[in-house]
Amino acid sequence: MIENHEFYLEGGEIGILLIHGLTGTPTEMRGVARGLHSQGFTVYGMQLAGHCGDVDDLIQTSWRDWYQSVIDAADKLRQKTRYLFVGGLSMGALLALKYAADFPRRVNGVLVYGATFRYDGWSIPPVSQFLAPWFLPLMDMLKIGRYRMFNEEPPYGIQNESLRHKISQSMLSGDSGAAGLPGNPWPSLSEMLQLSREVRKQLKNITSPCLILHAENDDIAHRRNGELVRDSISGPAEMVLLKNSYHMITIDNDRRELISLSIDFIERNAPSTRSVRSSMHSQEENQSINAAITQGSVANEPINSHSVGS
């Protein structure tokens, strides 16, 4: 049965919609959300259709269902805020990009965290990288392997060894609301590949500014995924490679840098609100970010990972 793990942190007139990845949960965005909220932003950590339940719940949904979840969540947030930024991790980044392509006038900026068009990181076997784009859609079309999964394997998108251990323990607990599913169903990965093809075609239609953050040593999605966004959109693009994380950059070693870069990007692209917090010195801002991250530490709340199926 699906459980609701969404969260809403009320703040000012800048609204930020955060989208988790395939087989993930809103928990993977909570630390980032608290860091952004500490600076006065309103943050909505939404939950995609079919997620935080069991395999049956997920495979009964398609990428169009997941995207409709994004549209509905954005509509809710727009009713309460003046500016809208959409951001996502991995597959969530693709959904954020699609929303920006479809509704350019609604979006002030896009936070692209570890965009995943292809599973081509160093931990993905070359044969899987080559076969998956045609094998999974074929199996889906023939209704073969509906309950087959690609199981999660170390390093689970995490460079931090202590955090990696916590993730493995959380995944073994079987609580999909806290840890996500232990693997990635073939039909859902096929849907994700369809979404990837759709978003690739639409990248040129994105005129909103994009902040593209990607792990330099991403184990799941090579940095060329982020470079594709940078080189294809029509709006301004900034790309930063994070040095000390793997795929799950919202919870790994570079999460503080990710939050700081995101705050700066948001402020620059919602200029009329900048004066609201202009009196806050950088040191005080960093202290509030660190306090928020500590409060939302993965050591104190459920952890989830969605490495290959993200």
Side-chain angles (χ1 to χ4, degrees):
M1 183 175 66
I2 293 177
E3 298 179 355
N4 185 7
H5 287 264
E6 290 190 341
F7 58 85
Y8 180 81
L9 305 177
E10 187 169 0
E13 60 186 356
I14 299 177
I16 306 168
L17 181 65
L18 295 179
I19 311 166
H20 64 81
L22 179 61
T23 76
T25 84
T27 303
E28 67 201 27
M29 310 302 285
R30 189 178 291 274
V32 173
R34 283 182 168 148
L36 298 176
H37 180 249
S38 73
Q39 303 306 300
F41 305 138
T42 295
V43 188
Y44 182 10
M46 61 157 296
Q47 182 170 311
L48 296 173
H51 288 71
C52 300
D54 58 23
V55 173
D56 279 313
D57 294 319
L58 182 59
I59 64 177
Q60 288 173 16
T61 59
S62 69
W63 73 261
R64 290 179 175 82
D65 298 314
W66 307 334
Y67 182 52
Q68 188 60 51
S69 300
V70 173
I71 295 174
D72 294 343
D75 286 346
K76 293 178 184 177
L77 189 55
R78 290 177 63 238
Q79 293 175 7
K80 299 183 178 182
T81 56
R82 180 179 178 186
Y83 301 98
L84 177 64
F85 290 81
V86 291
L89 173 65
S90 200
M91 187 191 77
L94 271 59
L95 292 167
L97 288 164
K98 179 165 177 55
Y99 186 85
D102 289 342
F103 305 102
R105 295 185 179 181
R106 299 180 184 179
V107 179
N108 289 88
V110 189
L111 303 167
V112 184
Y113 301 147
T116 305
F117 291 90
R118 289 177 56 88
Y119 297 113
D120 56 357
W122 57 263
S123 73
I124 309 299
V127 65
S128 296
Q129 296 184 35
F130 176 75
L131 293 177
W134 66 266
F135 173 78
L136 288 170
L138 178 61
M139 294 299 99
D140 192 27
M141 182 179 67
L142 297 176
K143 306 300 181 184
I144 297 174
R146 186 166 177 80
Y147 289 94
R148 296 290 297 273
M149 302 176 74
F150 286 106
N151 292 322
E152 300 282 359
E153 299 288 347
Y156 305 117
I158 299 292
Q159 186 177 111
N160 185 295
E161 293 185 4
S162 175
L163 177 59
R164 189 188 307 160
H165 176 72
K166 291 184 176 72
I167 284 176
S168 65
Q169 295 299 310
S170 183
M171 290 178 65
L172 290 174
S173 73
D175 183 356
S176 67
L181 293 173
N184 306 282
W186 287 8
S188 299
L189 288 173
S190 178
E191 290 291 333
M192 185 271 174
L193 292 173
Q194 293 180 51
L195 171 65
S196 172
R197 289 192 290 270
E198 180 74 16
V199 176
R200 279 174 180 263
K201 293 185 293 185
Q202 291 187 284
L203 286 175
K204 63 181 181 299
N205 299 330
I206 298 174
T207 56
S208 303
C210 290
L211 175 65
I212 305 158
L213 303 181
H214 210 95
E216 185 173 57
N217 196 27
D218 196 313
D219 58 322
I220 302 301
H222 191 277
R223 62 177 177 268
R224 67 175 64 94
N225 287 267
E227 293 167 350
L228 173 65
V229 179
R230 180 196 63 191
D231 297 339
S232 301
I233 67 170
S234 299
E238 308 169 37
M239 182 169 178
V240 178
L241 295 177
L242 303 177
K243 307 290 186 181
N244 299 303
S245 296
Y246 291 160
H247 185 61
M248 299 289 289
I249 56 177
T250 58
I251 61 174
D252 208 353
N253 295 322
D254 294 309
R255 62 191 182 278
R256 287 177 173 82
E257 183 179 0
L258 178 146
I259 293 171
S260 181
L261 290 168
S262 299
I263 290 170
D264 178 68
F265 172 79
I266 293 165
E267 286 186 316
R268 285 187 283 109
N269 289 285
S272 68
T273 65
R274 204 167 177 182
S275 61
V276 173
R277 295 182 295 106
S278 61
S279 61
M280 178 177 284
H281 299 297
S282 296
Q283 183 176 0
E284 294 172 334
E285 183 173 296
N286 289 336
Q287 289 174 348
S288 64
I289 292 171
N290 289 335
I293 293 174
T294 300
Q295 181 186 6
S297 170
V298 293
N300 298 323
E301 61 182 45
I303 308 166
N304 66 286
S305 172
H306 58 272
S307 59
V308 177
S310 56

